Amino acid sequence: AQSVTQLDSQVPVFEEAPVELRCNYSSSVSVYLFWYVQYPNQGLQLLLKYLSGSTLVKGINGFEAEFNKSQTSFHLRKPSVHISDTAEYFCAVMRGSQGNLIFGKGTKLSVKP
Amino acid sequence: NAGVMQNPRHLVRRRGQEARLRCSPMKGHSHVYWYRQLPEEGLKFMVYLQKENIIDESGMPKERFSAEFPKEGPSILRIQQVVRGDSAAYFCASSPDGTNYGYTFGSGTRLTVV
């Protein structure tokens, strides 16, 4: 069975500092990987996704993630965060090109001035 | 081009009542997915539907929960005889063809059972 582990439930960081949100997955088959962001009382917005090709994926709002097959990881990074990045971030996997997403429990990013 | 529309945004029900949650997919999307988000948890898959068909309901509780996506109109998630444990945010997503390319989420319905 597939699972997604987000190692940090909360990450506090100061404005303009770099941040990395960690995500590990388990799967015996090829997967597609996603990061979503959820602002308070809103739905999920896709930040970026890895389907194939280059292992470094660039997304919206200056975020990027690197797919590491040997470590089964898909960590999200941003070199300099803003107050407006304060939100909850979810890592998700999908097996194959169709079907449902399996989500991690989320990481709450809190950016302080 | 409106996104995925869910209504109501907030729904309060007393224990034992029925809750009906609606989801109108994006224009041109014929695949709908429902997810539930419990407090301090990630989203959990519930059901995947195409027009008039349930494709995968492996995440649906066995009792009290049902879903439909009729030929005309929105997809409906129905919860009968609600209990406090049903309190959660319910999200709908739609896709034009069931692949991972065009998966779009709605803003959710927050159900509170009192």
Side-chain angles (χ1 to χ4, degrees), chain A residues 1 10 28-29 31 36 39-40 53 55-56 65 69 83-84 87 93 98 102 104-105:
Chain A
Q10 298 189 45
S28 58
V29 298
V31 295
Y36 285 86
Y39 298 101
T55 57
L56 183 63
K69 188 174 182 179
I83 299 285
S84 59
V93 304
Q98 293 188 321
I102 298 169
K105 290 190 174 183

Side-chain angles (χ1 to χ4, degrees), chain A residues 41 49 51 97 100-101, chain B residues 9 35 37 45 99-101:
Chain A
N41 297 315
K49 58 188 174 186
L51 304 179
S97 63
N100 56 286
L101 291 168
Chain B
R9 289 295 302 274
Y35 289 79
Q37 184 180 31
F45 167 74
T99 69
N100 48 45
Y101 299 106

